[in-house]
Amino acid sequence: MARTKISVLTEDKWLEEKTAYEIQKSEYAVGFIGVSESHLLNYLKKNTIYNHILLIKPTPENQMAFSETFLRSLCKINVIIIGGPLADEHKAIIQSSHISGYLTLKDIHATTIKEMVFQINKLGYFPNDHIPIRYWINSPKKTQELVQPKFTNKEKLILFHMCHGFTNVEIAEIIKSSISNVRNHVERMKAKAQVQTNIEMVAVSVSNNWIQLCRENFKRHNPYIMKLTR
């Protein structure tokens, strides 16, 4: 299971320090802590290997971070809003606004953080007294898949041939490029897929259906390959 990082976006310095302290007490990893939405977005783009939980005290300046739907285009993340006590008529509205939970300042302590992470991993949301479980059941959240790396057209072509048994030298001949250029593309793909070796790259690509194998496209004939569907 991917490690969980908990980030905090707020203009309130006291809340920033208090939350960071309680996250550390809960023994979860502290992610981004700060006030800049653009810095947060850059952080999320560079740390896609983690499951993220973002605690945010919304302001008119950080509306993108408030949208869990938008952030999920960058990484696997759940957004928890920090605010004041909720009136009953506001609970369903807040729950339906593409978030995973709601906390007040009094809830910021290690015990609540541990329970929050547990419930999000189990349910995909964090029911509590502020937004009880009946609101989540009436409007269930969908589980989120990991974001697929964005490969260029040339990277997709190189990856296709890699998965069908071709070496970098052979791929360079096929696409009429230099070997060094192909190697550079392969290294960029491996970084995007968070793998270390070409074998891992092939295994991850096939298991996630990034590449559809076809027996006619393999370089070498093998009786086991003949079992593949077209």
Side-chain angles (χ1 to χ4, degrees):
M1 180 182 293
R3 188 179 180 189
T4 297
K5 281 198 171 186
I6 304 175
S7 296
V8 184
L9 182 67
T10 178
E11 294 180 348
D12 189 329
K13 192 66 177 178
W14 175 86
L15 177 60
E16 178 183 307
E17 294 174 353
K18 167 70 173 175
T19 308
Y21 173 74
E22 295 297 339
I23 293 171
Q24 291 173 332
K25 277 183 61 179
S26 71
E27 300 181 348
Y28 282 100
V30 177
F32 173 87
I33 301 286
V35 64
S36 171
E37 183 181 62
S38 60
H39 290 170
L40 167 69
L41 298 180
N42 288 333
Y43 176 86
L44 295 177
K45 291 176 184 177
K46 294 177 181 178
N47 289 270
T48 56
I49 193 171
Y50 297 95
N51 292 337
H52 295 271
I53 296 176
L54 172 63
L55 305 179
I56 174 174
K57 190 176 181 183
T59 69
E61 289 73 35
N62 59 27
Q63 291 304 304
M64 282 194 297
F66 176 74
S67 172
E68 187 174 278
T69 302
F70 167 73
L71 294 180
R72 285 186 167 198
S73 67
L74 307 177
C75 62
K76 192 170 184 180
I77 190 167
N78 294 82
V79 174
I80 304 292
I81 300 300
I82 300 175
L86 281 176
D88 288 342
E89 61 267 26
H90 295 155
K91 293 179 180 180
I93 297 173
I94 295 294
Q95 184 275 327
S96 62
S97 62
H98 305 294
I99 64 167
S100 295
Y102 191 92
L103 295 173
T104 64
L105 298 178
K106 293 181 179 180
D107 298 314
I108 306 300
H109 50 75
T111 303
T112 302
I113 290 172
K114 288 182 179 180
E115 179 65 16
M116 176 187 71
V117 175
F118 174 79
Q119 294 293 351
I120 285 176
N121 288 336
K122 179 182 177 182
L123 302 173
Y125 53 86
F126 178 40
N128 53 25
D129 291 340
H130 308 298
I131 304 181
I133 195 167
R134 65 179 182 274
Y135 292 99
W136 302 102
I137 293 174
N138 291 336
S139 180
K141 284 178 63 69
K142 295 180 180 179
T143 57
Q144 180 190 5
E145 299 297 329
L146 289 171
V147 178
Q148 179 176 333
K150 295 180 180 179
F151 299 121
T152 66
N153 289 336
K154 181 166 285 189
E155 288 171 347
K156 291 176 183 177
L157 182 61
I158 292 171
L159 183 58
F160 179 84
H161 285 94
M162 280 179 62
C163 292
H164 284 87
F166 291 84
T167 66
N168 288 347
V169 174
E170 294 164 342
I171 294 172
E173 294 177 357
I174 293 170
I175 67 173
K176 296 180 173 55
S177 182
S178 67
I179 298 173
S180 61
N181 191 32
V182 170
R183 286 174 179 160
N184 288 336
H185 280 295
V186 170
E187 289 306 310
R188 282 194 287 271
M189 284 190 292
K190 284 157 63 177
K192 291 178 182 179
Q194 303 169 39
V195 302
Q196 298 295 320
T197 68
N198 286 16
I199 293 175
E200 284 183 295
M201 187 72 230
V202 171
V204 168
S205 300
V206 173
S207 63
N208 285 281
N209 294 316
W210 298 342
I211 295 296
Q212 298 295 323
L213 297 180
C214 179
R215 61 175 179 250
E216 285 85 359
N217 292 107
F218 275 88
K219 179 190 173 185
R220 301 165 188 83
H221 172 78
N222 184 295
Y224 296 104
I225 292 174
M226 299 309 292
K227 292 186 177 182
L228 290 172
T229 57
R230 293 178 182 274

